[in-house]
């Protein structure tokens, strides 16, 4: 419905903020926990509006006076112009944000019992934020009207209006109104279920009138089976009752639930049923210089409804660069922070060279955030961390603080060079790791050559490092190490030619024609972790960039195929190398519009268009593809064909879990409750073991409706057993600090079930930080909650 808020005053600029009045902690699945308790609390008695229909226009209004008062002292004076200082938004407590849906998505009730009111439009619009009015200018009389379409949520709304005049005088006022119905129904839905879940969902029926009411209650759904969904309920005057229906989620997919109370109210809400099983993916990629035909084989035992395909199209280096600028700042870790800072510093020049434009404010924000983290990590780093941070800090020559930090760290790295020309090293290091670390140091010291002192330092370091590389040339036995040395720029002449030949001979071909650099056993990076094939392939691109015999196009196909916008090419080190390689390979401009089509066995599955505006972004096409078991022929084509357009095609499905497999020295055990009760905390015990010195991410899957007890996790952080944690729907992730030899991880924390039934927990996993491909999993269990 529309409400008009009228403000008084003279020549005011007004910002609106709307929120629910009741900010209690009762937000189980987006609805009041009173539904679980079976009670009704009317709440604060404010300006109560009884509405016959939500989401429709209304001429009812509220008047608010906003007289201009003298401006209080402020740290920064307001500009003497009509510029709003307050951002207006409207929020309602309750449901997660949803897109507006049709009013009737399920069959309507066949008929209401005699005496009941005729059916009214159903409630289906529940956005979390619905009003954004940062700038409202009053007319000559000092009044302004703001039309507002109020969502379908039944709650108390608080309206805050802040105003200021051209002279800086300020004023504000608060008003409130309640959105309610005489009688209404409120199903309490979870944000998700898992396939196989059988739950009892509470449905609250509320009567705000002064007389007892008897109505027919009906709950129906698409995507799940509902048992006991039709009955007659009697609600006392000013009270509420809670009814329960049983819901069985047999298959994954979207679910729409509609609850109706006679002809007085109906509400429609949606959630998803997640697959239960082990995710299996197969990915192919390449460039779209011509139509690409691929063979992808889906698993024969895929869980019904879980087969999906995703096509990502990367518009050359510009698209990848913009995708990384969007995602880099949100990734955690020292290497990731260094990469984000380096990216923010080089982005303006890179974007300009690729025909793009930089958002100066966004880059400034990104640099400030990453810079703070790098400064913190750079206080007293070891040599490996200093090598990681120095290049990033030196990428901001206009920032004196970061420049000084980069100079100091570059000097620290240079001073770690040994008399034989190698850099870093410690007891237990292999020569292979030492040479890779020396290559990293050489690149870092070279980055600090901008100053006079840095240039002298880099020249001396380079001469000694080149001697070490030449001296140990015959002991370089793998392509990754050879590529790392070449990419550092630390060799030339015959040594460079020998290493290039070694890298070329180490390359492998895939059936689709793409090339990659495999990683041999026991080969590690400077930080001691094994590199991924993606990182090795990116290093091969940099190593062979000027080699006319190198299959650069085939390497580029693998490089783009392995890119994922959410994580890039892996951790911060891998992303640094991957982006450098992508920028070296794909610089040609793209046409203003490209049509992309995906087919399976000659039939179109999905298609999309990259236009002039979207060429700055990654195009993502996704859809369900049932019947993909076994081998099928997939075709990806661009119209017109574009050599600089890369794609990644992923066929994903879920298969039944099997017994836990060993994972490179990682072990994980999880003990959950044998039985749980709604509203009562239960304890989870997790045990993990790993090689010493390895940072880990432990992700514990949780059933639908299970909430984490944050104080118990905060206690683990205070004790130092957990560095950080992150809570999401259906899981909690713990970041574990590196541990010593024979030092297992043991921890307990509490969770609270809020749904009764038989619920599937997600699988749990233990992975090295930034390397999800090296993890070990524990299959999910079933929780019985009373």
């Amino acid at each position: 419905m529309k409400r008009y808020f009228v403000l008084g005053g003279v020549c005011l600029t007004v910002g609106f903020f709307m929120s629910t009045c009741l900010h209690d902690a009762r937000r189980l699945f987006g609805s009041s926990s009173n539904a679980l308790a079976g009670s009704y609390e009317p709440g604060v008695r404010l300006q109560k509006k009884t509405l016959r229909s939500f989401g429709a226009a209304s001429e009812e209004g509220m008047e608010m006076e906003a007289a201009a008062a003298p401006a209080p002292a402020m740290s920064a004076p307001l500009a003497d112009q009509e510029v709003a200082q307050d951002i207006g938004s409207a929020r309602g407590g309750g449901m997660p944000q949803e897109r507006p849906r049709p009013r009737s998505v399920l069959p309507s009730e066949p008929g209401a019992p005699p005496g009941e009111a005729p059916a009214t439009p159903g409630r289906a619009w529940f956005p979390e934020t619905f009003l954004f009015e940062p700038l409202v200018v009053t007319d000559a009389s000092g009044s302004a009207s703001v039309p507002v379409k109020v969502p379908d949520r039944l709650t108390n709304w608080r309206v805050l209006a802040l105003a200021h005049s051209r002279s800086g005088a300020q004023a504000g006022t608060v008003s409130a109104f309640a959105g309610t119905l005489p009688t209404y129904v409120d199903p309490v839905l979870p944000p998700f279920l898992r396939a196989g879940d059988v739950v009892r969902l509470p449905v609250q029926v509320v009567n705000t009138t002064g007389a007892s009411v008897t109505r027919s209650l009906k709950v129906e759904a698409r995507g799940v089976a509902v048992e006991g969904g039709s009955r007659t309920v009697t609600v006392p005057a000013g009270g509420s009752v809670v009814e329960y229906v049983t819901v069985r989620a047999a298959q994954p997919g979207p679910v729409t639930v509609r609850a109706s109370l006679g002809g007085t109210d109906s509400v429609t809400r949606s959630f998803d049923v997640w697959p239960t099983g082990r995710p299996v993916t197969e990915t192919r990629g390449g460039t779209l210089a011509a139509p690409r035909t691929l063979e992808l084989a889906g698993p024969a035992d895929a869980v019904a409804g879980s087969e999906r395909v995703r096509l990502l199209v990367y518009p050359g280096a510009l698209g990848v660069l913009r995708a990384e600028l969007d995602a880099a700042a949100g990734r955690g870790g020292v290497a990731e922070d260094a990469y984000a800072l380096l990216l923010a510093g080089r982005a303006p020049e890179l974007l300009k060279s690729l025909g793009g434009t930089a958002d100066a404010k966004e880059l400034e924000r990104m640099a400030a955030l990453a810079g703070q983290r790098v400064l913190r990590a750079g206080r007293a780093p070891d040599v490996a961390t200093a090598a990681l941070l120095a290049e990033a800090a030196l990428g901001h020559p206009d920032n004196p603080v970061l420049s000084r930090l980069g100079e100091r760290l570059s000097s620290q790295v240079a001073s770690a060079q040994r008399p034989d020309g190698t850099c870093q090293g410690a007891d237990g290091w292999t020569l292979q790791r030492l040479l890779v670390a020396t290559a990293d140091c050489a690149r870092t010291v070279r980055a600090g050559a901008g100053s006079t002192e840095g240039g002298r330092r880099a020249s001396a370091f380079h001469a000694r490092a080149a001697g070490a590389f030449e001296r140990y040339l015959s002991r370089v036995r793998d392509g990754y190490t050879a590529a790392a040395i070449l990419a550092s720029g630390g060799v030339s002449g015959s040594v460079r030619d020998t290493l290039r030949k070694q890298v070329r001979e180490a390359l492998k071909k895939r059936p689709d024609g793409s090339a990659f650099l495999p990683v041999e056993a026991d080969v590690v990076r400077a930080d001691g972790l094994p590199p991924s094939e993606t990182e090795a392939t990116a290093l091969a691109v940099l190593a062979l960039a000027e080699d006319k015999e190198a299959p650069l196009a085939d390497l580029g196909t693998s490089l783009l195929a392995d890119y994922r916008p959410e994580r890039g090419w892996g951790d911060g080190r891998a992303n640094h190398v991957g982006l450098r390689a992508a920028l070296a390979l794909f610089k040609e401009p793209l046409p203003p519009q490209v049509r992309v089509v995906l087919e399976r066995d000659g039939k179109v599955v999905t298609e999309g268009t990259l236009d002039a505006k979207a060429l700055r972004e990654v195009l993502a096409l996704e859809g369900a593809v049932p019947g993909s078991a076994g081998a099928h022929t997939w075709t990806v084509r661009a119209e017109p064909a574009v050599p600089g357009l890369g794609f990644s095609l992923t066929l994903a499905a879920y298969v039944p879990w099997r017994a836990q497999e060993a994972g490179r020295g990682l072990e994980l055990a999880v003990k959950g409750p044998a039985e749980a009760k709604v509203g009562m905390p239960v304890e989870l015990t997790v045990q993990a073991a790993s090689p010493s010195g390895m940072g880990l991410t432990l992700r514990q899957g949780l059933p639908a409706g299970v909430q984490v007890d944050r104080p118990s996790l905060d206690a683990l952080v205070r004790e130092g057993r957990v560095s950080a944690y992150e809570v999401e729907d259906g899981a909690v992730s713990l970041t574990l600090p590196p541990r010593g030899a024979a030092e297992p991880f043991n921890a307990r924390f509490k969770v609270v079930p809020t749904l009764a039934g038989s619920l599937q927990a997600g699988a749990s996993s233990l992975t090295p930080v930034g390397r999800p491909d090296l993890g070990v999993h524990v299959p999910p269990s079933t929780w019985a909650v009373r």
Side-chain angles (χ1 to χ4, degrees), residues 614-640:
L615 283 175
R616 297 181 175 185
E617 304 170 357
V618 175
L619 173 66
L621 303 175
E622 187 171 355
V625 284
S628 293
H632 292 268
T633 301
W634 299 79
T635 301
V636 185
R637 69 175 187 271
E639 301 171 355

Side-chain angles (χ1 to χ4, degrees), residues 216-595:
S216 62
L217 172 66
K218 187 173 185 179
V219 180
E220 50 193 339
R222 284 180 178 170
V224 294
V226 178
E227 299 176 1
S230 297
R231 66 193 69 174
T232 299
V233 296
T234 299
V235 189
S240 69
V241 297
V242 176
E243 301 289 329
Y244 289 87
V245 297
T246 299
V247 170
R248 297 181 181 271
Q251 294 184 349
V255 173
T256 302
V257 176
R258 181 175 183 263
S260 57
L261 185 64
T264 60
D265 184 33
S266 69
V267 58
T268 301
R269 289 175 178 164
S270 300
F271 62 90
D272 289 325
V273 174
W274 295 354
T276 301
R278 179 174 60 88
V280 176
T281 61
E282 187 173 358
T283 301
R284 296 283 189 274
T287 60
L288 294 176
R292 301 292 182 181
T293 299
L294 313 167
E295 295 289 334
L296 293 179
D301 56 346
V303 175
S306 70
E307 297 163 296
R308 299 189 67 83
V309 67
R310 190 182 194 198
L311 175 64
L312 301 177
V313 182
Y314 312 100
L318 179 59
V320 173
L321 177 57
R322 288 197 176 278
E324 284 298 278
L325 286 171
D326 288 340
R331 302 168 184 153
V334 175
E336 287 74 11
D337 294 336
Y339 169 67
L341 182 61
L342 180 64
L343 189 58
R346 294 186 175 176
E349 180 183 353
L350 293 173
L351 288 168
K352 183 178 180 180
S353 68
L354 296 171
T357 56
D359 185 335
K361 290 186 178 181
E362 183 61 25
L363 290 179
E364 183 180 352
R365 185 198 66 80
M366 180 178 175
L369 178 61
Q372 292 173 2
R373 297 171 177 172
V374 166
L375 286 169
R376 184 166 56 249
R379 291 172 181 169
D382 55 23
V383 177
T385 303
L388 198 63
L389 302 179
E391 188 176 2
L394 291 168
H396 295 262
D398 296 334
N399 186 316
V401 175
L402 291 176
S403 295
R404 287 195 298 269
L405 174 65
E407 283 288 333
R408 174 171 65 82
L409 297 178
S410 180
S411 176
Q412 178 184 351
V413 172
S415 65
Q417 190 175 35
R418 297 182 171 193
D420 67 348
T422 60
C423 184
Q424 301 188 58
D427 291 342
W429 279 42
T430 63
L431 178 61
Q432 180 270 323
R433 180 180 179 184
L434 181 63
L435 292 176
V436 172
T438 303
D440 282 0
C441 291
R443 190 188 70 251
T444 299
V445 175
R446 184 187 300 272
S451 64
T452 302
E453 176 60 28
R456 287 196 295 265
R457 186 168 58 231
S459 178
F461 189 98
H462 174 76
R464 290 191 292 267
F469 292 142
E470 182 175 3
R471 187 164 52 255
Y472 292 115
L473 179 61
S474 62
R475 299 180 64 180
V476 177
R477 309 257 172 93
D478 67 283
Y480 173 79
T481 304
I485 295 172
L486 285 166
S488 73
V491 294
S492 59
S494 61
V495 176
R496 179 189 60 199
D497 295 340
T498 300
L499 291 174
R500 282 180 176 176
K501 180 180 179 182
Q502 186 171 359
V503 174
R504 289 197 307 268
E505 292 176 348
L507 299 178
K508 302 293 183 183
K509 285 272 191 177
R510 294 191 175 96
D512 61 1
S514 62
F516 68 99
L517 180 61
V519 179
E520 299 180 12
D522 300 324
V523 169
V524 297
R525 305 185 305 193
D527 60 359
L529 291 176
S532 64
E533 285 185 352
T534 302
E535 183 179 350
T537 301
L539 267 181
V541 170
L542 296 174
L544 303 176
E546 299 178 0
D547 188 344
K548 296 181 179 179
E549 301 179 38
L552 292 177
D554 297 334
L555 290 171
T557 295
S558 290
L559 184 68
L560 289 180
D562 292 336
Y563 178 76
R564 302 289 182 273
E566 65 275 8
R567 64 176 181 86
W569 288 277
D571 63 7
R573 292 176 182 268
N575 284 330
H576 183 195
V577 177
L579 185 61
R580 287 168 58 203
L583 294 172
L585 283 175
F586 305 104
K587 295 182 178 180
E588 296 300 320
L590 300 174
Q593 191 172 73
V594 181
R595 178 171 175 256

